[in-house]
Amino acid sequence: MRLLILLFIIFFPLFALSDHYKAVIEEHPTKGEARKAYESYLANPSSIVSQYSHDEKFLLHFRKSGGRYIIAAEPFASRQDAKTFVHTIRAKHPKAFVSQGVADDIQHLLAIHQKTLPQQQIPEDKSSTTVATPTVKTSPIPDSTSQLPMSNEENSLFSVTWSLIIGLLAALFFIAWRERSYKTLREQYNALFKEKEQIQDSIQAKNDFIAMMSHEIRAPINAVMGMSHLVLESRLTVTQRSQISKIKDSASLLLNLINDILDHSKIEAGKITIEQIPYDLNALLDDISNIVSHKANEKQIELIFDIDRSVPNKLIGDPLRLLQVLVNLLNNAVKFTDKGSVILRARGQQISRLNLKIHFEIIDTGIGMDQEQIARLFQSYSQADDSIARKYGGTGLGLAICKNLVSLMGGTIHVHSLLNEGSTFSFDIKLHSDFDFEKRHYRLPTTDLMSKNALILDENQDNAAVLQRGLEYFHYEVKAVVDSLDAVALFQKYHFDIVFIDTKISLCGEFKRELQNQIKDDHLKLVWMGEDIKKRGGFILSKPYNQLDIFNTILSIYGYMDQSGKHQNNTKKLKESLKKFGGETLLLAEDNEINRSIIAGLLAGTNIVIVTAETGQQAVDIVNDNSNICVILMDIQMPIMDGFEASKIIRQNSDKDLIPIIAVTGNTLESDIQNISNAGMNGHIAKPIDVNTFYTTLYYAFEKSHNHPIKSTVSTLHIA
């Protein structure tokens, strides 16, 4: 492009110089006058100019030249031919003149109007036609033609010369300007490129530092949490159990802060990807309840799950990231609420047969926010104000992480809040569902279990409304009251099959007597909602509950499910399941003595034989010498040989290729998980060790080893 512009500037004057010679017959101030004169020439055969129009080589036309309109005949092979033609028509057109280009026309016209041209060069008439060659159409040239002045030619040469000079100067200036501009741009580009490299190096250094620190910090936290768990399983006084529980809770809080910082770093580096895997919504809600309800119960806050029937149970998406967002928002709601309730509400909207949009809301009755606080709510390292940060703690990263994760899942997060009245956080995400499965869920085994009458006694109307909708799903007739006296009055009017009572509500004596009488008749079933209080008879519906909990409670009431073990400690049940593999051998490759003690303590009582190695090389040697190894727990960072290298060497032995290898590591970046898979490992357990995850992962690993699956069926367990 630059070359084309340069060539145009240089050669434009030459184009004008190479124009054909023409005879300008007359000129007019307006286009209309010029056209009228032009048409009169063509219509008048007796016109001298029109005599030449019979020769097709010549063209009579009018066009604009400067500020005037001219009528001209062209082309002529030479200036002399044009002069001969002008001399022929001079009697009728004394102002006619010879021209070579547009510049020549303008110069001559200016001279005419300034009356500076010699009279003998300015013929006078106004006509216009296409002309033949002078040798054919003209008469002999009088001697006076040799006297025609040459001022037009001189002016033309002068214009062309100056045009060339100006063009060359402009070209030189343009080249110099462009060169300087390119030099400046190159310098700016080099500076920006260097700055970009420095920023990338800085980001990489920060990510490497965070990954290293994450591993280093997780190791002592793992020791604190692991040892706390082991101590809590022993016999303790009430005071000791309270103190150890606080130590474990503090370590858990510290772990959450580290996870927030690590997640924020991964989001900034673009390291987080959203998975599309099937999962169970009820299982997700149970996990949320286990994480959030403890703190809610401590503050006497009602935690309510209001999940509409339009939301299917079997979904396809990223359960880990959805869990992270919901737990973060619910924990925030509990943290900033001193009384009242926190509600998780979900509503589904079917987009197509397998695609739907789910709208989530987290509603609290907490301290609320004003518009200024909301404006900076989702900024990293920021909370609503400094006083809140001092009172409630936190990194200020949680909501920024939630915003980014929701965006990665295809949604946006919004907040509505009023100061001292509470807040509502909401977001929509698109998910997929198993439509065929959803047609079969929550089906009672007999028609006798449907269309029963139920009474709900609960002071929290939101909680009662959720339970009422859940029971109406099974076509139950439901009455809900907030006071036991109102319940007594309903007993006199209606027959009830089931009574649901909140454990926090105060019951009057009259209601208790009526309730006992009804239960003695063996037609009334009693369900307590809330904490599992063993001294009370009846069944337990733990809060927060979902549709599956209501479904299972009904089955338990009428003998279709054993509820006795439902509220047993899940951790104890998982540990009990490992006794199935008593006598089998586990290789623990771990260089940290405290971590070895924790894992040995977690497996105490399962009768699983533990063989330890402190380096990767020792682990390889033990595997080669011991044919009884069933499962390997492999630390990643060990001296002499790390876990990656040790796993690759073990996998090279075809006899050991089917032994499940589970990584135990504090490195939880996506790249770390990919490296674990590339090294031939079957899964990983993150440090600090989550006890339930530890037991579950080991159970599946021993199952695979015990069944001796073929190589192609060994699945990868990605359990963080």
Side-chain angles (χ1 to χ4, degrees):
M1 185 65 187
R2 179 177 60 174
L3 181 61
L4 291 175
I5 296 173
L6 179 61
L7 292 175
F8 176 79
I9 293 174
I10 294 175
F11 291 106
F12 175 76
L14 298 181
F15 295 153
L17 183 63
S18 64
D19 195 7
H20 292 290
Y21 293 99
K22 64 178 176 290
V24 178
I25 300 168
E26 59 184 50
E27 52 92 14
H28 296 274
T30 66
K31 184 176 181 180
E33 293 178 7
R35 179 180 290 278
K36 184 176 179 181
Y38 169 71
E39 291 174 352
S40 68
Y41 281 135
L42 296 180
N44 184 9
S46 62
S47 169
I48 297 177
V49 175
S50 64
Q51 295 174 10
Y52 294 91
S53 63
H54 300 292
D55 194 326
E56 295 180 356
K57 293 187 296 180
F58 291 96
L59 174 66
L60 183 69
H61 65 90
F62 77 94
R63 70 182 185 190
K64 188 174 183 181
S65 179
R68 312 290 289 179
Y69 292 88
I70 64 171
I71 299 176
E74 63 176 307
F76 293 94
S78 65
R79 179 178 289 275
Q80 187 59 44
D81 291 342
K83 286 182 179 181
T84 301
F85 174 75
V86 169
H87 179 77
T88 304
I89 64 172
R90 194 168 80 177
K92 292 246 182 212
H93 304 282
K95 293 185 179 181
F97 63 92
V98 177
S99 174
Q100 185 176 1
V102 175
D104 200 4
D105 296 348
I106 296 172
Q107 290 286 340
H108 201 90
L109 291 171
L110 287 174
I112 291 174
H113 288 281
Q114 294 173 1
K115 302 186 182 302
T116 58
L117 280 176
Q119 183 63 34
Q120 62 266 32
Q121 191 183 358
I122 306 178
E124 110 186 295
D125 192 32
K126 299 179 181 179
S127 62
S128 169
T129 187
T130 305
V131 296
T133 56
T135 55
V136 177
K137 299 291 183 177
T138 59
S139 57
I141 306 173
D143 293 340
S144 60
T145 56
S146 60
Q147 304 297 322
L148 285 172
M150 301 296 293
S151 59
N152 282 340
E153 181 177 1
E154 292 170 356
N155 287 334
S156 177
L157 289 174
F158 182 79
S159 296
V160 170
T161 302
W162 272 107
S163 296
L164 283 172
I165 294 172
I166 293 172
L168 289 173
L169 290 174
L172 292 173
F173 175 78
F174 177 78
I175 293 172
W177 176 77
R178 292 293 292 177
E179 184 63 28
R180 183 172 181 179
S181 298
Y182 276 115
K183 182 179 179 181
T184 303
L185 288 175
R186 280 195 299 269
E187 291 174 350
Q188 292 176 349
Y189 173 79
N190 291 335
L192 289 173
F193 185 77
K194 185 176 181 181
E195 185 177 352
K196 177 186 175 183
E197 287 184 328
Q198 292 174 346
I199 292 173
Q200 289 177 336
D201 291 342
S202 175
I203 292 174
Q204 185 60 45
K206 183 193 73 173
N207 292 336
D208 293 342
F209 174 78
I210 289 177
M212 179 189 68
M213 291 305 298
S214 172
H215 178 271
E216 295 299 324
I217 294 174
R218 284 172 185 271
I221 294 179
N222 181 56
V224 173
M225 296 184 68
M227 288 299 181
S228 298
H229 175 80
L230 296 178
V231 173
L232 288 171
E233 286 191 330
S234 63
R235 293 183 177 180
L236 299 171
T237 65
V238 175
T239 302
Q240 289 171 335
R241 185 168 297 278
S242 174
Q243 292 170 343
I244 298 298
S245 296
K246 290 177 180 178
I247 292 174
K248 187 177 180 181
D249 290 343
S250 298
S252 179
L253 177 60
L254 179 58
L255 177 62
N256 290 335
L257 297 178
I258 293 170
N259 287 337
D260 280 350
I261 295 172
L262 186 60
D263 281 339
H264 184 68
S265 176
K266 288 192 286 187
I267 289 171
E268 282 188 333
K271 299 287 186 178
I272 286 185
T273 57
I274 299 300
E275 292 185 311
Q276 294 296 324
I277 59 175
Y279 64 95
D280 187 295
L281 180 62
N282 285 318
L284 184 73
L285 292 173
D286 285 341
D287 291 338
I288 293 173
S289 176
N290 292 335
I291 297 170
V292 181
S293 60
H294 175 65
K295 185 61 69 175
N297 290 335
E298 283 184 350
K299 301 182 71 172
Q300 297 295 305
I301 296 171
E302 286 281 4
L303 180 61
I304 302 170
F305 290 167
D306 182 8
I307 311 300
D308 190 72
R309 67 181 64 179
S310 60
V311 180
N313 182 42
K314 295 296 182 181
L315 297 169
I316 299 174
D318 194 325
L320 177 62
R321 297 307 176 187
L322 180 58
L323 173 74
Q324 187 175 356
V325 171
L326 292 176
V327 167
N328 205 315
L329 294 176
L330 286 168
N331 274 334
N332 266 1
V334 171
K335 180 166 65 172
F336 297 118
T337 301
D338 293 326
K339 61 180 180 179
S341 61
V342 172
I343 303 174
L344 168 59
R345 181 170 293 160
R347 299 290 183 265
Q349 176 185 347
Q350 202 74 32
I351 299 175
S352 64
R353 185 174 179 272
L354 297 178
N355 299 297
L356 71 157
K357 181 172 67 174
I358 299 182
H359 179 74
F360 290 95
E361 288 183 333
I362 292 83
I363 308 165
D364 66 62
T365 56
I367 62 176
M369 295 171 287
D370 57 29
Q371 292 302 313
E372 183 180 352
Q373 292 169 337
I374 293 174
R376 58 176 182 268
L377 194 60
F378 294 100
Q379 297 175 8
S380 299
Y381 309 103
S382 173
Q383 290 192 344
D385 59 42
D386 293 338
S387 62
I388 289 179
R390 287 194 298 270
K391 181 178 179 180
Y392 295 98
T395 60
L397 290 175
L399 290 178
I401 292 171
C402 288
K403 178 182 178 182
N404 283 284
L405 290 178
V406 168
S407 177
L408 289 172
M409 290 188 285
T412 54
I413 190 167
H414 306 279
V415 59
H416 172 75
S417 183
L418 294 175
L419 199 60
N420 300 320
E421 293 187 20
S423 303
T424 299
F425 287 82
S426 61
F427 62 92
D428 295 313
I429 58 172
K430 292 182 180 179
L431 295 168
H432 309 288
S433 65
D434 186 344
F435 182 80
D436 293 329
F437 176 87
E438 293 304 328
K439 293 188 295 185
R440 302 189 299 271
H441 74 319
Y442 306 143
R443 181 173 293 179
L444 292 171
T446 67
T447 56
D448 293 339
L449 299 185
M450 303 181 68
S451 303
K452 292 189 176 293
N453 298 322
L455 173 64
I456 301 173
L457 181 56
D458 194 334
E459 292 179 339
N460 190 299
Q461 295 182 1
D462 292 321
N463 201 53
V466 172
L467 178 57
Q468 182 170 344
R469 286 195 295 270
L471 294 172
E472 288 173 347
Y473 179 88
F474 302 111
H475 307 287
Y476 279 35
E477 290 290 335
V478 183
K479 302 293 182 182
V481 293
V482 297
D483 186 85
S484 59
L485 288 175
D486 296 332
V488 173
L490 289 176
F491 273 132
Q492 308 301 325
K493 296 181 181 180
Y494 301 98
H495 165 76
F496 294 106
D497 300 294
I498 308 174
V499 176
F500 294 86
I501 305 174
D502 182 24
T503 57
K504 297 177 183 177
I505 200 168
S506 298
L507 303 177
C508 66
E510 187 178 355
F511 176 79
K512 291 179 181 179
R513 288 190 295 273
E514 184 66 31
L515 189 63
Q516 290 173 355
N517 293 333
Q518 297 268 358
I519 293 174
K520 286 179 181 179
D521 293 339
D522 199 28
H523 72 270
L524 183 67
K525 305 296 182 182
L526 176 61
V527 179
W528 296 99
M529 298 181 296
E531 299 176 1
D532 185 2
I533 302 177
K534 296 180 180 179
K535 66 180 181 180
R536 302 187 183 186
F539 297 85
I540 296 294
L541 178 59
S542 299
K543 294 182 180 181
Y545 43 75
N546 54 55
Q547 189 65 45
L548 179 61
D549 295 327
I550 299 171
F551 176 67
N552 289 336
T553 300
I554 294 173
L555 294 180
S556 300
I557 290 172
Y558 292 101
Y560 290 91
M561 177 180 287
D562 182 14
Q563 198 185 35
S564 60
K566 181 181 177 183
H567 299 284
Q568 182 183 352
N569 186 290
N570 189 44
T571 302
K572 291 182 179 179
K573 289 192 295 183
L574 291 172
K575 185 174 181 178
E576 287 289 324
S577 67
L578 284 175
K579 291 182 178 180
K580 172 183 177 181
F581 308 107
E584 298 195 12
T585 303
L586 168 74
L587 171 60
L588 173 59
E590 170 65 66
D591 64 318
N592 188 290
E593 182 181 358
I594 296 178
N595 290 338
R596 292 198 302 269
S597 300
I598 292 171
I599 292 175
L602 291 176
L603 295 177
T606 62
N607 297 322
I608 294 175
V609 179
I610 301 176
V611 179
T612 60
E614 297 183 16
T615 69
Q617 184 61 57
Q618 289 181 10
V620 172
D621 295 339
I622 291 173
V623 171
N624 290 333
D625 297 337
N626 192 334
S627 60
N628 296 325
I629 302 297
C630 297
V631 176
I632 301 173
L633 288 179
M634 183 76 72
D635 185 28
I636 296 301
Q637 295 188 358
M638 291 185 291
I640 302 176
M641 180 186 293
D642 63 25
F644 292 132
E645 187 65 25
S647 298
K648 291 177 182 178
I649 294 175
I650 293 172
R651 288 295 183 230
Q652 291 173 2
N653 188 339
S654 59
D655 295 336
K656 313 295 182 181
D657 197 27
L658 298 180
I659 300 176
I661 303 177
I662 308 300
V664 183
T665 177
N667 297 336
T668 57
L669 292 173
E670 298 291 339
S671 57
D672 299 321
I673 296 173
Q674 186 61 47
N675 290 335
I676 289 170
S677 178
N678 294 339
M681 302 184 190
N682 302 95
H684 81 280
I685 300 173
K687 294 178 183 176
I689 294 174
D690 178 81
V691 178
N692 290 351
T693 299
F694 175 79
Y695 288 144
T696 302
T697 306
L698 272 190
Y699 181 87
Y700 285 116
F702 273 110
E703 273 285 315
K704 292 180 182 299
S705 178
H706 188 263
N707 296 331
H708 297 290
I710 60 174
K711 183 176 180 179
S712 60
T713 62
V714 176
S715 63
T716 301
L717 299 173
H718 289 300
I719 305 176

